[in-house]
Amino acid sequence: MKTSDLFGKGRTVFSFEVFPPKRDDPVAGIYSTVERLKDLSPDFISVTYGAGGTKNSEVTLAIASEIKRSGVESVMHLPCVGMTRADAEDCIARIRDAGIENILALRGDLPEGMTERGDFPHASDLIEFIKQRGDFNILAACYPEGHPESPSVTEDILNLRKKTDAGACQLVTQLFFDNEFFYRFLERCRIGGITVPVSAGIMPVVNKKQIERIVSLCGATLPKKFTDMMARYEDNPDALRDAGIAYAVDQIVDLVSHGVEGIHLYTMNRPYVAEKIHAAVASLL
């Protein structure tokens, strides 16, 4: 099933994201995580693709294939940084052979030590390439606060429009902690002629180290309400975890009340957190 077909049916599409284990970690752990997430009946589960070339793509594809076999639709991430056209051709063929219909096409960040950017300067180039090679449902990433490399929010929307014009028919946002950024972003999208469904990316922050890493990587704005929470509970791990869950639930309730088309929960491979959030919002979706 193409995940874009889930939208427009009078309900909020609810999905999860997981990531492959690190190279030295056992692969079995991710499958127990997926099993618990599957029990929550998400609309789909996406699987990220980190640094590591072909070997990483094989792990991502194996996880995405297992999710699909379990009865939940899956989405495979495919970043194009450092990728040649031949690499992409091979990867797309393997995705097709595995029966995966949904690809989240990304530019991605250049891995440490790699200098060759590959044959696809932008995600829109990869999207166009995929579109020409099969009947895939192509998703793309977007940034409520603007892409960190974009000179302006206007330029950011113009670049996002290139992705949808190239064939992306569904968008998933980068994480954010202030819903007002999402609402303003969505308004700019519609004014800019971007009409495809947009899922709001929500990450429940459950420890101090996690939020420090997030801010260093993507620069998401932290509202005073959020920083006050962090300051109050940073030395109490259980309290901070529960406060982070409550903050994410509050965001989701507000988004659903405003008619958001989709919620994409960045689970960080923590099924307990996903279970708590799902229990709090399931009746609203």
Side-chain angles (χ1 to χ4, degrees):
M1 170 187 278
K2 296 180 178 180
T3 55
S4 59
D5 292 339
L6 296 165
F7 294 87
K9 298 182 179 180
R11 53 178 290 275
T12 304
V13 173
F14 192 72
S15 56
F16 296 134
E17 180 172 297
V18 298
F19 56 83
K22 295 179 181 178
R23 289 185 179 183
D24 297 331
D25 293 341
V27 176
I30 187 62
Y31 292 115
S32 62
T33 294
V34 166
E35 189 66 25
R36 288 175 64 178
L37 295 178
K38 185 192 74 170
D39 289 343
L40 303 179
S41 300
D43 289 296
F44 65 88
I45 299 176
S46 72
V47 188
T48 69
Y49 180 123
T54 302
K55 182 177 179 181
N56 189 287
S57 71
E58 290 172 355
V59 175
T60 299
L61 182 57
I63 297 169
S65 298
E66 181 59 32
I67 290 170
K68 188 173 179 68
R69 281 194 295 269
S70 75
V72 177
E73 197 52 64
S74 62
V75 174
M76 178 168 167
H77 291 217
L78 185 61
C80 60
V81 66
M83 182 178 284
T84 66
R85 292 174 69 88
D87 292 335
E89 194 85 63
D90 176 68
C91 199
I92 292 167
R94 288 187 288 112
I95 292 171
R96 185 190 304 111
D97 291 345
I100 304 295
E101 298 179 74
N102 305 286
I103 301 174
L104 176 53
L106 307 156
R107 187 197 69 180
D109 298 319
L110 199 66
E112 188 175 348
M114 180 183 289
T115 57
E116 180 58 54
R117 301 202 70 91
D119 292 337
F120 302 94
H122 307 288
S124 56
D125 301 314
L126 177 62
I127 291 168
E128 185 176 9
F129 188 85
I130 296 170
K131 195 70 176 176
Q132 296 169 351
R133 282 158 178 79
D135 187 25
F136 293 102
N137 178 62
I138 307 172
L139 297 78
C142 55
Y143 302 81
E145 299 183 56
H147 192 285
E149 298 176 14
S150 183
S152 69
V153 293
T154 300
E155 187 71 20
D156 191 54
I157 292 297
L158 291 174
N159 288 331
L160 185 58
R161 177 67 186 268
K162 290 179 182 177
K163 294 182 184 182
T164 57
D165 286 349
C169 48
Q170 184 182 342
L171 300 174
V172 179
T173 78
Q174 174 63 274
L175 60 92
F176 57 91
F177 299 103
D178 184 341
N179 289 358
E180 289 304 315
F181 282 113
F182 177 81
Y183 299 136
R184 291 197 292 270
F185 165 75
L186 193 59
E187 183 179 19
R188 292 194 299 272
C189 283
R190 300 320 185 203
I191 291 172
I194 299 170
T195 60
V196 302
V198 180
S199 287
I202 300 296
M203 179 180 285
V205 176
V206 297
N207 63 61
K208 184 180 179 182
K209 185 177 180 180
Q210 181 188 18
I211 188 57
E212 289 173 344
R213 182 173 181 273
I214 291 167
V215 172
S216 68
L217 288 175
C218 68
T221 300
L222 303 181
K224 185 177 185 302
K225 176 181 177 181
F226 186 90
T227 56
D228 287 348
M229 177 190 78
M230 293 291 298
R232 176 69 177 83
Y233 300 115
E234 63 180 343
D235 296 323
N236 186 333
D238 288 344
L240 182 56
R241 178 201 63 199
D242 292 343
I245 291 172
Y247 193 94
V249 168
D250 185 57
Q251 276 192 276
I252 293 170
V253 170
D254 181 70
L255 289 162
V256 173
S257 298
H258 280 78
V260 69
E261 295 165 289
I263 298 291
H264 191 61
L265 193 68
Y266 296 106
T267 70
M268 301 303 290
N269 291 6
R270 293 187 174 98
Y272 172 85
V273 174
E275 288 163 352
K276 291 295 184 181
I277 292 173
H278 182 265
V281 305
S283 65
L284 309 179
L285 302 173

